Amino acid sequence: MILELDCGNSFIKWRLMPRHGVVQQAIAGGVASSNEQLIDDLASRFPGELFTCRLVSVRSEDETKLLTDALKTRFAIDCMIAAPARALAGVSNGYDDYQRLGLDRWLAVVGAYSLVGRACLVLDLGTAITSDFIDAAGAHLGGFICPGMPLMRSQLRTHTRRIRYDDAVAEQAQQSLVPGRSTAEAVERGCLLMLRGFVSTQLDLARQQCGDDVLVFLTGGDAALAAEWVPAARIVPDLVFVGLAIACPLTEE
């Protein structure tokens, strides 16, 4: 099996893909909070079944090397690591310094365009929210970054002493957008409205930049929250992995 990894600042997203097949579906997947947890999970569930690995990482070179070395030691597999590029699979990097565009964003852009070959807006709604615009010719036009729901909530909890509530209360508070009658409701619904305003603005900008027929992709942990505001959007949870497979092709596939 092929191990695919998306190594973020806090977590490692992983999935296992079959070595062969034209239309491939993930065999398994998950999220690990550390290198050790990832390796333990894989060793306990898939001993001796890993063939190779490809990964994208926003971590430092030293941190990434620690992980790749650990995988090689435990499973005897090599890792292909996605690298920045000026152009890939018909998409041109829109940053003035192409190496400064986050690799996860770049691969999501490449993945989105590869799926439809037309103008796209990619919204990745995670700890931070990123938006990226791609025109019909595959030119990446740039994008925006702002705090996502987890980061907005965390900052309010951290810097405001009286804001204290758990995740269950937060989820319940999000069921409505009427003015909050408790601190949790006020915070959660306020953050949701900020998120909705950002998404709405990105849609307007995408139509200006890319045309009215622009297709919206939603990915990231809070993609479902935005789906009701963009009914025609495509939710693709593994969009980064789609781009990763393009950036790191395997000859056996």
Side-chain angles (χ1 to χ4, degrees):
M1 291 183 290
I2 301 166
L3 173 63
E4 297 183 333
L5 302 176
D6 177 4
C7 306
N9 291 305
S10 302
F11 300 98
I12 304 171
K13 299 176 185 176
W14 62 272
R15 74 175 187 178
L16 289 176
M17 301 295 291
R19 286 178 58 180
H20 305 289
V22 177
V23 179
Q24 295 190 333
Q25 298 292 329
I27 297 169
V31 178
S33 59
S34 66
N35 295 353
E36 294 75 18
Q37 182 187 354
L38 171 69
I39 291 173
D40 288 346
D41 286 350
L42 293 172
S44 64
R45 297 174 60 187
F46 309 99
E49 298 181 45
L50 303 185
F51 164 69
T52 192
C53 171
R54 55 188 170 205
L55 67 85
V56 54
S57 176
V58 298
R59 301 178 176 188
S60 69
E61 289 185 12
D62 288 343
E63 289 175 308
T64 302
K65 189 174 187 303
L66 282 175
L67 175 57
T68 57
D69 286 350
L71 289 167
K72 188 173 183 63
T73 298
R74 181 61 182 82
F75 301 107
I77 58 173
D78 294 317
C79 295
M80 298 179 63
I81 303 175
R86 287 190 176 89
L88 178 64
V91 182
S92 58
N93 192 312
Y95 262 31
D96 294 332
D97 180 355
Y98 75 93
Q99 298 185 74
R100 301 293 294 177
L101 176 61
L103 275 171
D104 50 351
R105 286 176 63 193
W106 171 237
L107 295 185
V109 163
V110 170
Y113 191 77
S114 74
L115 291 175
V116 294
R118 54 182 275 200
C120 306
L121 166 64
V122 177
L123 290 170
D124 188 339
L125 299 103
T127 302
I129 300 172
T130 62
S131 67
D132 286 283
F133 303 83
I134 310 99
D135 71 14
H140 174 234
L141 305 178
F144 298 92
I145 304 173
C146 74
M149 285 288 291
L151 194 54
M152 286 191 282
R153 181 187 299 121
S154 173
Q155 288 300 299
L156 283 168
R157 286 176 173 175
T158 300
H159 297 288
T160 309
R161 292 183 179 180
R162 293 183 179 274
I163 295 181
R164 296 289 184 273
Y165 55 89
D166 60 26
D167 292 341
V169 173
E171 184 176 354
Q172 184 176 4
Q174 292 176 13
Q175 302 306 309
S176 170
L177 284 178
V178 301
R181 297 175 65 89
S182 69
T183 299
E185 291 179 351
V187 169
E188 291 299 316
R189 295 171 189 178
C191 291
L192 269 176
L193 288 171
M194 291 187 71
L195 174 60
R196 186 168 73 172
F198 180 82
V199 170
S200 176
T201 300
Q202 299 310 296
L203 291 174
D204 291 341
L205 287 171
R207 294 184 182 109
Q208 294 172 23
Q209 295 286 323
C210 305
D212 290 338
D213 64 342
V214 63
L215 180 63
V216 181
F217 283 90
L218 300 176
T219 190
D222 283 329
L225 287 176
E228 61 181 285
W229 309 323
V230 195
R234 289 182 60 174
I235 300 178
V236 184
D238 293 332
L239 194 54
V240 170
F241 287 135
V242 175
L244 177 61
I246 296 170
C248 299
L250 301 173
T251 56
E252 284 79 6
E253 290 182 24

